[in-house]
């Protein structure tokens, strides 16, 4: 459902635009903006994504929520397996693919930044010239240019009543894992005019604020704040609150976190 604020989007678990829903997979669009499209995937055991490919002009990124996903990255399509909390990103020119090679269901988020028409591409009505190509003869950019952050990895900053982990920083997309402890006062309402701000609740309860609306949000709640939309949030309960935070483009946000 939409909040009573122009262009602010709030989705409860299970909501969004379902593009594909078959026994072997579900694909749901959570938010589709020029700067970023976020999709929710369910892959059953043995389900495969596209063959190895590159994007010339946008970043393709993944965050594992449940189960295990096997990613292939770089010129040799090196295998990287990851469970919940794993973040992988392929910037333009890096070969990548993904599949569920485990014996359990895998659930993960997929982010394209900028969106580049990916929404219409997966709906089956996009142009034939979507920004996706076979691997180049030279293998593309090196594996080192990709981001592969295991659940316990990332740049960690412990601040008063909160922990901030930068899972990955690329010009087109930065992804942070944020944990807030009881007593944290929250983030006052603010707006960004240079990037989209997106939140996905992982654990605990919070109050997410957009405009004059405050909404209690638990695990699986998704909020997207386009350019210029005022928003804020605060912990709401006796237990820690944890969420994934996306900024597209990064616009210097990760650097600001490092400076405190």
């Amino acid at each position: 459902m939409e909040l009573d604020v122009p262009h602010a989007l709030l989705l409860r678990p299970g909501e969004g635009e379902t593009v594909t829903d078959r026994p072997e997979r579900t694909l749901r669009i959570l938010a589709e903006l020029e700067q970023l499209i976020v999709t929710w995937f369910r892959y059953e055991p043995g389900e495969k994504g596209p063959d190895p490919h590159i994007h010339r002009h946008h970043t393709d990124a993944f965050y594992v929520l449940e189960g295990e996903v096997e990613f292939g990255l770089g010129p040799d399509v090196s295998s990287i397996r990851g469970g919940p909390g794993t973040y992988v990103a392929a910037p333009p020119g890096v070969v990548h693919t993904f599949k569920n090679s485990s014996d359990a269901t895998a659930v993960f988020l997929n982010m394209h930044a900028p969106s580049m028409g990916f929404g219409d591409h997966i709906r089956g009505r996009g142009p034939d010239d979507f920004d996706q190509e076979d691997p180049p003869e030279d293998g593309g950019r090196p594996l080192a240019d990709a981001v592969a952050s295991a659940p316990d990895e990332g740049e960690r900053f412990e601040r008063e009543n909160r922990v901030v982990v930068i899972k990955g920083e690329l010009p087109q997309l930065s992804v942070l894992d944020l944990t807030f402890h009881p007593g944290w006062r929250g983030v006052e309402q603010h707006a960004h005019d240079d990037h989209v701000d997106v939140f996905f609740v992982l654990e605990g309860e919070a109050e997410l604020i957009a405009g004059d609306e405050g909404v209690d949000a638990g695990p699986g709640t998704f909020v997207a704040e386009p350019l210029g939309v005022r928003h804020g949030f605060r912990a709401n309960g006796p237990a820690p609150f944890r969420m994934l935070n996306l900024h597209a483009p990064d616009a210097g946000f990760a650097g600001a976190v490092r400076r405190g």
Side-chain angles (χ1 to χ4, degrees):
M1 67 178 183
E2 281 198 44
L3 292 172
D4 188 23
V5 178
H7 311 304
L9 179 67
L10 166 71
L11 297 177
R12 301 295 188 184
E15 294 184 334
E17 179 190 348
T18 299
V19 175
T20 299
D21 192 13
R22 303 196 298 267
E24 65 272 20
R25 70 165 72 180
T26 298
L27 173 54
R28 186 176 299 130
I29 297 174
L30 301 184
E32 185 176 10
L33 304 166
E34 178 183 350
Q35 299 84 359
L36 175 71
I37 183 170
V38 182
T39 49
W40 182 97
F41 281 69
R42 173 190 58 84
Y43 267 26
E44 293 304 315
E47 190 67 4
K48 297 180 180 180
D51 290 337
H53 61 279
I54 65 166
H55 304 297
R56 294 287 184 187
H57 305 293
H58 75 277
T59 291
D60 196 358
F62 307 83
Y63 184 88
V64 181
L65 297 170
E66 300 175 20
E68 181 184 83
V69 179
E70 181 179 358
F71 301 96
L73 288 171
D76 297 324
V77 198
S78 301
S79 176
I80 297 173
R81 295 172 181 262
T86 298
Y87 174 68
V88 169
V94 172
V95 174
H96 58 286
T97 186
F98 57 94
K99 61 183 176 180
N100 180 1
S101 57
S102 74
D103 58 1
T105 300
V107 177
F108 53 98
L109 299 177
N110 177 218
M111 294 80 75
H112 289 252
S115 59
M116 299 291 293
F118 182 69
D120 280 343
H121 175 69
I122 58 177
R123 293 183 185 103
R125 60 173 187 259
D128 293 334
D129 60 350
F130 173 66
D131 178 32
Q132 182 165 311
E133 301 178 10
D134 291 337
E137 291 186 4
D138 64 2
R141 292 171 62 180
L143 175 62
D145 288 353
V147 176
S149 178
D152 58 350
E153 293 180 339
E155 296 180 64
R156 183 182 179 92
F157 302 89
E158 297 200 20
R159 308 268 165 75
E160 184 180 1
N161 292 326
R162 67 191 187 278
V163 177
V164 179
V165 179
I166 301 175
K167 297 291 290 181
E169 176 193 6
L170 294 169
Q172 294 172 323
L173 177 69
S174 60
V175 173
L176 298 91
D177 186 320
L178 311 177
T179 299
F180 305 99
H181 298 292
W184 180 68
R185 62 189 179 119
V187 171
E188 297 298 328
Q189 287 200 61
H190 62 286
H192 306 290
D193 61 6
D194 57 357
H195 70 275
V196 168
D197 205 355
V198 172
F199 308 91
F200 186 91
V201 180
L202 298 170
E203 300 174 11
E205 301 286 335
E207 183 181 15
L208 304 175
I209 306 164
D212 296 326
E213 295 283 348
V215 179
D216 291 336
T221 303
F222 175 87
V223 178
E225 309 287 359
L227 303 183
V229 174
R230 295 184 60 78
H231 57 282
F233 56 91
R234 53 179 169 261
N236 185 16
F241 160 63
R242 179 170 163 245
M243 67 181 178
L244 195 68
N245 182 209
L246 319 176
H247 293 258
D250 170 68
F253 188 84
V257 168
R258 295 186 184 96
R259 294 190 296 272

